[in-house]
Amino acid sequence: MSRSSIDIPVVSKFDPTGIKQAQSALGGFGKAVAGFGAIVAGAFAVRAIGNFAAETIRMGQEVLQSNAVLRQVAKTTGQFGGELDAVTGRLIKFADAQELRLGVDAEVVKSVQAQLLSFKALGASAGEAGGSFDRATKAAFDMAMVLKRDASGQAIALGKALEDPIRGITALRKGGTTFTEQQQEQIRTLVESNRLLDAQALILTEVESQYGGAAEAGALYSDRFRLGLEQIKETIGISLLPSFQNFVELFPDQCCATFDQSFLR
């Protein structure tokens, strides 16, 4: 019996060119399956294939949803104007890069970014690679790892401190982050001199000196491996979404019989 092989590229889920390639490959895969119906039927259960497709589509939808929420929050702040898409795209890529580094789902990272964007004085640096916004995002996860708390809560506390340093560092101190009397006075002087960026940098430097790198050091290899596999599923899910949406519109009854209703919302 001759063997046939099908190559499906694994690409970044945010690369439009790669997604088109994946869509084409998956289309070829579908035709091949139809041609090898008897062989495939013996190797895979139809239900298992349907469950896999449903799972990947759900995961793809969640990626697009988190991207849309992040973009909307950035838009609502009104700070980026014509650079909105560029800034949002950079934040998404940053979150995706942190996923395997920290062993944290990129959608969780985007949620923290969305929270930090609500603090306008901090969000103003969201378009700057390696700026205060990126440092604050990483710091929230480092603090969460050391203090055994939720990254979301740490992001809010850190955001408040960077938005209003004089009052905000009080909450950080109560949460376990220490600042000397000299540092507190220096922060006050910087804020009163309208040097907010310098005050933010001082706070972030101190936070990093206490927690820096903790999230990456504590990341489990099993989580990184799992997230790597999920990235592949998300890529496939996003690639399948256009065809799936057309299928839902044309054959709603058949679709509902194959996929769980929760995936169609």
Side-chain angles (χ1 to χ4, degrees), residues 6 69 83 131 160 168:
I6 301 157
V69 170
E83 296 297 313
K160 289 180 178 179

Side-chain angles (χ1 to χ4, degrees), residues 11-113:
V11 298
S12 168
K13 53 182 172 287
F14 304 113
D15 179 5
T17 301
I19 288 176
K20 290 180 180 178
Q21 292 175 347
Q23 286 176 329
S24 176
L26 287 165
F29 177 73
K31 294 178 181 178
V33 168
F36 301 140
I39 298 174
V40 174
F44 301 101
V46 173
R47 184 178 182 84
I49 295 175
N51 288 342
F52 175 79
E55 181 183 13
T56 58
I57 288 170
R58 173 185 58 78
M59 294 173 72
Q61 286 179 321
E62 289 176 352
V63 169
L64 297 182
Q65 180 187 53
S66 63
N67 291 353
V69 170
L70 185 62
R71 184 185 187 281
Q72 182 58 39
V73 174
K75 179 180 179 181
T76 300
T77 66
Q79 298 193 90
F80 305 111
E83 296 297 313
L84 175 64
D85 288 335
V87 172
T88 305
R90 194 199 74 78
L91 292 178
I92 290 171
K93 289 181 180 179
F94 180 82
D96 194 41
Q98 301 311 302
E99 185 170 57
L100 298 184
R101 188 180 75 85
L102 304 179
V104 176
D105 195 303
E107 278 47 74
V108 175
V109 179
K110 290 176 213 170
S111 176
V112 165
Q113 289 176 316

Side-chain angles (χ1 to χ4, degrees), residues 171-185:
L172 285 181
R173 291 176 61 202
K174 290 180 179 179
T177 305
T178 60
F179 292 90
T180 66
E181 291 294 332
Q182 182 180 2
Q183 287 174 325
Q184 293 178 63
E185 184 57 33

Side-chain angles (χ1 to χ4, degrees), residues 98-149:
Q98 301 311 302
E99 185 170 57
L100 298 184
R101 188 180 75 85
L102 304 179
V104 176
D105 195 303
E107 278 47 74
V108 175
V109 179
K110 290 176 213 170
S111 176
V112 165
Q113 289 176 316
Q115 289 176 311
L116 291 174
L117 277 174
S118 67
F119 298 98
K120 292 187 177 182
L122 174 62
S125 63
E128 177 188 355
S132 295
F133 190 89
D134 285 356
R135 292 173 67 186
T137 302
K138 291 180 181 180
F141 287 96
D142 289 333
M143 293 169 69
M145 177 63 73
V146 175
L147 300 174
K148 302 300 180 185
R149 295 173 186 168

